[in-house]
Amino acid sequence: MLIQNFKKLQQKDLSFFYAYELDAEDHLKCVFRSDGIAKNNYSMFGDLLSFDTTYNTNKYAMIFAPFTGLNHHRFSITFGAALLANEKTESFSWLFKKFLECMGGNEPVLIVTDQDPAMRSALEKTFKTAKHRFCMWHIMKKLSEKVGGCLNANSVFQRRFKTCVWNSESPIEFETNWNAIISDFELSKNDWLLHMFETRKMWIPVYLQDIPLSGLLRTTSRSESENSFFGNFMNNKLGLIEFYSRYDNAMEAQRQKELKAEHDTLNGKPYLKTSLAIEKFASSLYTHKNFYLFQDELWASCIGCGVKRAQELSDSCIFTIIDSGNPNDKYREVIYSSSNITCSCKMFETQGIPCRHILLVLKGQEINELPSYCITTRWTKLATSNPIFQINSKLFAECSESERRRKLISSTWTQLSRCMELAKYKDETLIDLRNCAVNWENQMRANYDCDEIDSNFASLDESQIPDKIEIFPPQYSKTKGSGKRMKSGKEKSIEIKQKTSRLCRNCGEQALHGSRNCPKKSTL
């Protein structure tokens, strides 16, 4: 029934994509789907991709695997999702191949996953140009367990290790600091740390600075946030038809949030902190979320930064910047020319927003508008008009009626909001607008065709039991998410510490035991 629905959806909407695979006994093994809106989003924001799996979303215990990205409002967006029977390399390979087929063969620039070996193997086989990196949060979470309780409680070790990982600004600096930590704390025989150093180029930020916007996805938190979001719509009792019905509801909620952010950006004006022309220019350029990030950097350049020295060269100038907000007390070096500007902190390259050091120099040069080389199109209001990938544009032109209706609803809300903004200062105008709205409502109610509405609702449920069963329901999956997870030694020790002690009536001491299991009971 599910596959029949997908076939009908594809007949109505040529941009809808689905694929599935059966096992030897014709049970559903894998299924993937995406639609025109998701593919269109990928064409604009598919350079960065986060992939993670989650469990307990359906009664067959199939693994839910969404592909997540980041739009120009910095909201998570879903490019497609799959259900998998297992987490083996062949399952991931099948899924990644179908994902690339759906997206016209266009690979992301950067993809972030956890350290799952099967996932890594499948990525290496499928993606030829995409840079793969591990989730830093998962790695740092394992640190305390891998180095032992003594170092876990050692604040000096923790501070030095985190500074080495997060704040190193060159590979040489990272390797020097890392080797010093290994030597000072006698960790040369720690196999886990040796392995993490060997794979440093897959998770240490400094090795990824040359990848544009690499600082945006250091962890799979985007995927995990989306998994939590989808979890509000799903549970482990859902059949496949109801699962995908709720998935569609979740996608609609996600897209409505995006439409509201787009509406607010196009029709609202952000609050300005200064009278600087460059801030006013940025407010007209960026979406609201990105403007406020820019504003924070501009404000910091005004109150926390200064020029220590300036060195003029033949075609450029090197500024040494003092930054009071830098916890490492490092000077920043900004190289400025008429055609480019760079900073040693690499914020613009990794985040896409000019840093406070660059903005300080631009202000000093009396530049009132951000030069083009300081603008990342992805964060601007024009981001959706500049796709980075071409994914069969003909299909987008023939996109479903629902997409056109969504755009019409959005433009109608925009027009109504403008009317409200103009009318709210005069009571007479407000009364006229309200009376018009009442008349429109009464007219629309009078024109409702109840039979037509009922038939539209009926058409939504296209599930029909076929005469001949060719695809059987998936078999119950046994995955890493099945059953209870074994707790680490650290988690067990934390739980013991959190337990409250009580007065033992047998020995009279404050302890975790009671009179029944008192160790001194047999001796008294």
Side-chain angles (χ1 to χ4, degrees):
M1 291 163 62
L2 177 72
I3 301 305
Q4 279 186 354
N5 281 0
F6 285 173
K7 289 179 180 178
K8 291 178 181 179
L9 284 171
Q10 194 175 65
Q11 290 171 359
K12 292 181 178 180
D13 178 5
L14 295 179
S15 63
F16 183 84
F17 180 93
Y18 76 96
Y20 65 94
E21 186 177 46
L22 308 179
D23 63 16
E25 299 176 349
D26 290 336
H27 289 274
L28 186 66
K29 183 180 177 183
C30 309
V31 59
F32 168 75
R33 60 162 283 176
S34 182
D35 60 19
I37 301 174
K39 291 161 71 174
N40 193 33
N41 283 335
Y42 186 80
S43 73
M44 297 178 290
F45 307 112
D47 51 343
L48 304 175
L49 185 65
S50 178
F51 180 77
D52 195 20
T53 56
T54 190
Y55 311 93
N56 300 323
T57 60
N58 57 90
K59 70 179 184 181
Y60 301 103
M62 295 186 80
I63 302 146
F64 180 53
F67 292 86
T68 305
L70 194 68
N71 69 8
H72 57 317
H73 300 290
R74 294 186 182 249
F75 289 162
S76 296
I77 49 176
T78 304
F79 300 133
L83 287 175
L84 305 175
N86 57 60
E87 292 173 288
K88 296 179 180 179
T89 300
E90 52 266 28
S91 294
F92 286 126
S93 295
W94 177 89
L95 174 57
F96 295 150
K97 287 176 183 177
K98 294 303 177 183
F99 178 79
L100 287 179
E101 180 184 341
C102 172
M103 301 305 174
N106 296 295
E107 295 188 17
V109 176
L110 180 68
I111 180 168
V112 179
T113 71
D114 62 23
Q115 291 175 276
D116 185 282
M119 198 181 293
R120 179 182 179 182
S121 176
L123 282 168
E124 292 174 350
K125 292 178 180 178
T126 311
F127 291 87
K128 306 302 181 184
T129 61
K131 186 73 174 180
H132 177 210
R133 74 174 297 171
F134 294 145
C135 168
M136 291 193 68
W137 181 83
H138 283 96
I139 294 172
M140 297 301 286
K141 184 181 179 182
K142 294 177 182 178
L143 176 66
S144 57
E145 180 182 340
K146 299 295 184 180
V147 299
C150 293
L151 289 181
N152 183 40
N154 188 320
S155 59
V156 175
F157 168 78
Q158 291 288 337
R159 176 179 54 79
R160 287 183 60 183
F161 192 88
K162 291 176 182 178
T163 300
C164 173
V165 168
W166 292 102
N167 299 328
S168 295
E169 295 184 358
S170 70
I172 294 176
E173 180 183 349
F174 165 76
E175 291 172 16
T176 301
N177 292 337
W178 179 282
N179 290 330
I181 292 171
I182 297 297
S183 175
D184 293 346
F185 295 96
E186 300 178 352
L187 293 168
S188 58
K189 295 182 180 180
N190 188 302
D191 293 337
W192 183 79
L193 286 174
L194 290 174
H195 174 69
M196 296 318 302
F197 183 75
E198 290 174 357
T199 59
R200 60 192 180 279
K201 294 183 179 180
M202 297 194 68
W203 65 284
I204 297 296
V206 72
Y207 290 96
L208 298 156
Q209 286 182 343
D210 294 335
I211 302 175
L213 305 179
S214 61
L216 296 175
L217 293 181
R218 292 180 175 181
T219 71
T220 57
S221 58
R222 284 284 166 182
S223 287
E224 289 160 7
S225 174
E226 280 303 276
N227 291 344
S228 176
F229 165 73
F230 282 116
N232 295 326
F233 293 82
M234 300 166 185
N235 59 66
N236 59 4
K237 296 180 174 60
L238 299 179
L240 297 186
I241 292 289
E242 189 176 4
F243 170 87
Y244 273 108
S245 175
R246 296 197 182 192
Y247 171 82
D248 288 336
N249 291 338
M251 292 298 296
E252 186 63 26
Q254 184 188 92
R255 289 165 180 174
Q256 286 299 326
K257 180 181 178 182
E258 181 181 354
L259 281 174
K260 184 180 184 304
E262 189 75 4
H263 170 269
D264 292 344
T265 289
L266 295 177
N267 296 282
K269 294 182 179 180
Y271 170 75
L272 303 183
K273 282 187 176 181
T274 72
S275 58
L276 295 172
I278 197 169
E279 183 182 21
K280 185 176 181 181
F281 172 80
S283 70
S284 66
L285 174 72
Y286 292 116
T287 61
H288 284 185
K289 179 70 173 180
N290 292 292
F291 167 73
Y292 288 123
L293 293 174
F294 170 88
Q295 187 182 68
D296 289 343
E297 292 300 311
L298 181 64
W299 184 251
S301 74
C302 295
I303 65 172
C305 295
V307 177
K308 180 176 176 63
R309 71 175 69 92
Q311 179 185 0
E312 292 190 10
L313 303 177
S314 58
D315 58 347
S316 63
C317 188
I318 301 176
F319 296 88
T320 302
I321 308 296
I322 303 171
D323 183 357
S324 62
N326 185 354
N328 299 316
D329 297 324
K330 292 180 180 178
Y331 293 132
R332 300 300 184 184
E333 190 174 83
V334 176
I335 302 175
Y336 171 74
S337 68
S338 59
S339 59
N340 195 22
I341 187 168
T342 60
C343 178
S344 60
C345 77
K346 298 285 187 180
M347 177 178 171
F348 179 70
E349 289 81 356
T350 58
Q351 301 287 337
I353 298 290
C355 63
R356 60 196 67 182
H357 319 111
I358 286 177
L359 294 176
L360 178 68
V361 172
L362 293 179
K363 285 190 303 172
Q365 299 297 314
E366 298 182 347
I367 295 175
N368 295 326
E369 295 184 358
L370 283 174
S372 59
Y373 49 78
C374 281
I375 298 173
T376 302
T377 306
R378 162 187 265 274
W379 303 135
T380 68
K381 298 176 182 179
L382 299 176
T384 55
S385 61
N386 294 279
I388 58 175
F389 297 137
Q390 294 297 323
I391 309 177
N392 204 339
S393 58
K394 181 180 179 181
L395 293 184
F396 294 144
E398 300 173 6
C399 204
S400 65
E401 184 66 27
S402 61
E403 169 65 358
R404 287 190 287 271
R405 186 174 290 111
R406 287 175 70 251
K407 291 181 178 179
L408 180 59
I409 290 172
S410 178
S411 63
T412 304
W413 272 118
T414 300
Q415 198 63 47
L416 290 174
S417 296
R418 289 174 179 170
C419 290
M420 192 65 194
E421 284 294 317
L422 293 171
K424 68 181 182 181
Y425 300 106
K426 292 185 178 180
D427 291 347
E428 299 84 357
T429 310
L430 273 174
I431 292 171
D432 289 341
L433 182 59
R434 184 196 61 188
N435 292 338
C436 287
V438 171
N439 291 333
W440 293 337
E441 181 183 2
N442 292 334
Q443 183 178 354
M444 286 186 285
R445 288 186 180 278
N447 292 335
Y448 264 174
D449 186 340
C450 295
D451 293 335
E452 182 180 352
I453 297 297
D454 290 341
S455 64
N456 286 337
F457 276 112
S459 65
L460 293 177
D461 183 14
E462 299 181 349
S463 303
Q464 296 179 355
I465 299 177
D467 297 330
K468 183 180 179 181
I469 305 297
E470 297 178 344
I471 304 173
F472 294 93
Q475 300 185 42
Y476 190 85
S477 300
K478 293 291 184 180
T479 67
K480 291 188 293 186
S482 301
K484 292 185 177 180
R485 181 177 63 85
M486 294 183 65
K487 296 179 181 178
S488 65
K490 179 186 175 183
E491 291 173 312
K492 291 178 181 178
S493 62
I494 291 174
E495 286 185 358
I496 292 174
K497 288 182 180 180
Q498 290 175 341
K499 287 183 178 180
T500 56
S501 61
R502 53 186 174 176
L503 179 64
C504 175
R505 295 181 180 179
N506 190 55
C507 64
E509 297 178 358
Q510 288 287 134
L512 295 177
H513 62 260
S515 58
R516 291 185 178 181
N517 58 348
C518 178
K520 298 181 180 180
K521 187 173 182 179
S522 59
T523 62
L524 294 178

